[in-house]
Amino acid sequence: MDSMEVNKGIAAVLVAGITFFLSGTVGTILIQEHHLAKPAIKIDIPQTAPSGAPAAPQLTPIAPLLAKADPAAGEADTKKLGCVACHTFTEGGKAGIGPNLYGVVGGPHAHMQGFEYSAALKAKKGPWTFDELNEWLHQPSAYAPGTKMTFAGIKNDKERADVIDYLHTLAAKPEALPSPTEAPPPAAAAAAPAGASPAGEPPVETLLASADPKLGEADTKKLGCIACHTFTDGGKAGIGPNLYGVVGGPHAHMKGFEYSAALKSKQGPWTYDELYQWLKKPSAYAPGTKMTFVGIPDPKERTDVIAYLRSLSPNPEPLPAKK
Ligand code: HEC
Ligand code: HEC
């Protein structure tokens, strides 16, 4: 045995030892987190309790937390929490079980070239914002059901913000931190159902309760939807797909219509909330969409149209419970 081989032997033992140590650590973390985990809260479902009682807990907005966060503590947390078992953080660092994380903040979802991401993460559009990282790291499996990242999440707000603050330093030109005043004040955040759209719009379920499908039908003519869409059962596609049965149907619901990748990549059924976002501004809901229509800015008009779309079915979807 020459000294080279002795070195290799020692290295192999060391690697085995480290791997064993890390898998032990990760295992412990996963198990501990599991015990700590609260019953899953689906944060996109409005949870407002009746008659002004405090709303069910929501994820704390990240902006004010980031204002007080400490990237050095965050770096230490990535070791303590075991992120380092799966991720590297330096520029050009290799993938391990997880992708390298340099430049992830503000980069696209699934940002590392060549890494085999899950379909769940690849389907996410747009850049990783601070808000999205907040949700993701709180509970990866809730943010991206089917993700390959088998990590329970960071439930502690301070720890999560520290880690995000650290990730944000891993760039030649770090993204600007969000202004803490941009976040809604706690009172407003508690009053608005979590499913409400931003910018003070009334939630779709409130408006739907008084929406008028007849007006909605008239609006599809006035607004020009009928130039591209048909609405009857079995109607042909035009520039756009037939819309019969779209409410509660899957995204890109018409068989044989050539949808954009942007719309095809959306998962799950068309909910009222999603139609409300989509029709507000298609290009914002699904960047790259083929529907060249600016949107319906007026919430009342938009919900009338949704109420009309809902009626295009032998069994219209139930209206959402009024909040
Ligand atoms: C057991 C291994 C493992 C652990 C522990 C882990 N991750 Fe991950 N991480 C992954 C994998 C695998 C992916 C890719 C997920 C997918 O494709 O669905 C990922 C993806 C990510 C992404 C998205 C990357 C991108 O390019 O879009 C971020 C950010 C991230 N992890 C941060 C963290 C942080 C911070 C921690 C610690 C708090 C952590 N991860 C702990 C395995 C892990
Ligand atoms: C200029 C043509 C055009 C106009 C005007 C238009 N659309 Fe569309 N619409 C499309 C196209 C094209 C698609 C497919 C989009 C894609 O694949 O990204 C689409 C998709 C849709 C979808 C999703 C269908 C599915 O199967 O997932 C809905 C819902 C919809 N449009 C409703 C409307 C309504 C309501 C209006 C009027 C307020 C309207 N559209 C105006 C062309 C148009």
Side-chain angles (χ1 to χ4, degrees):
M1 244 196 192
D2 65 15
S3 67
M4 228 0 227
E5 261 167 323
V6 173
N7 281 343
K8 275 194 216 156
I10 292 170
V13 170
L14 276 176
V15 168
I18 291 168
T19 312
F20 178 71
F21 167 76
L22 285 177
S23 52
T25 316
V26 173
T28 318
I29 291 161
L30 291 177
I31 289 159
Q32 285 176 352
E33 289 283 349
H34 192 77
H35 285 309
L36 291 174
K38 300 188 193 106
I41 296 165
K42 265 203 91 206
I43 55 151
D44 56 348
I45 291 178
Q47 306 246 2
T48 316
S51 66
Q58 286 178 30
L59 198 50
T60 318
I62 192 68
L65 291 172
L66 276 175
K68 288 179 285 176
D70 175 354
E75 180 172 10
D77 286 339
T78 59
K79 289 170 189 149
K80 189 183 80 181
L81 297 168
C83 320
V84 294
C86 300
H87 292 290
T88 58
F89 298 84
T90 48
E91 188 171 7
K94 288 225 177 86
I97 298 173
N100 170 266
L101 292 180
Y102 188 85
V104 71
V105 177
H109 287 78
H111 85 301
M112 186 189 187
Q113 303 263 312
F115 185 81
E116 286 247 355
Y117 288 92
S118 65
L121 209 62
K122 279 191 294 196
K124 297 278 178 186
K125 296 295 162 204
W128 273 115
T129 62
F130 291 103
D131 272 335
E132 284 174 294
L133 284 163
N134 190 30
E135 279 185 42
W136 163 248
L137 291 177
H138 179 255
Q139 194 179 344
S141 62
Y143 175 83
T147 177
K148 287 163 70 174
M149 174 151 137
T150 50
F151 175 78
I154 315 176
K155 303 303 173 211
N156 181 290
D157 287 346
K158 164 95 173 82
E159 246 171 33
R160 202 167 59 249
D162 287 345
V163 167
I164 294 171
D165 199 8
Y166 166 58
L167 291 179
H168 134 273
T169 65
L170 306 175
K173 278 190 71 192
E175 294 278 302
L177 287 176
S179 147
T181 52
E182 268 167 31
S197 40
E201 269 189 359
V204 66
E205 41 279 299
T206 309
L207 290 175
L208 265 179
S210 57
D212 180 345
K214 281 261 163 286
L215 286 178
E217 180 172 9
D219 286 338
T220 60
K221 290 170 188 148
K222 190 183 79 183
L223 297 167
C225 319
I226 56 166
C228 301
H229 291 288
T230 57
F231 297 84
T232 48
D233 193 4
K236 289 225 179 87
I239 298 173
N242 171 264
L243 292 180
Y244 188 84
V246 71
V247 176
H251 287 78
H253 86 301
M254 187 190 187
K255 291 245 176 347
F257 185 81
E258 285 246 358
Y259 289 92
S260 65
L263 209 62
K264 279 191 293 195
S265 71
K266 298 275 178 188
Q267 307 296 313
W270 273 114
T271 63
Y272 293 113
D273 253 342
E274 284 173 297
L275 284 163
Y276 195 55
Q277 297 307 324
W278 163 246
L279 291 176
K280 180 179 188 184
K281 197 170 178 201
S283 63
Y285 175 84
T289 177
K290 285 163 71 175
M291 172 152 136
T292 50
F293 174 79
V294 284
I296 316 176
D298 181 59
K300 164 88 172 88
E301 227 170 44
R302 208 177 330 136
T303 8
D304 286 343
V305 168
I306 294 171
Y308 169 58
L309 293 178
R310 167 182 180 265
S311 73
L312 306 174
S313 160
N315 280 310
E317 289 284 300
L319 286 172
K322 206 177 151 191
K323 296 293 156 349

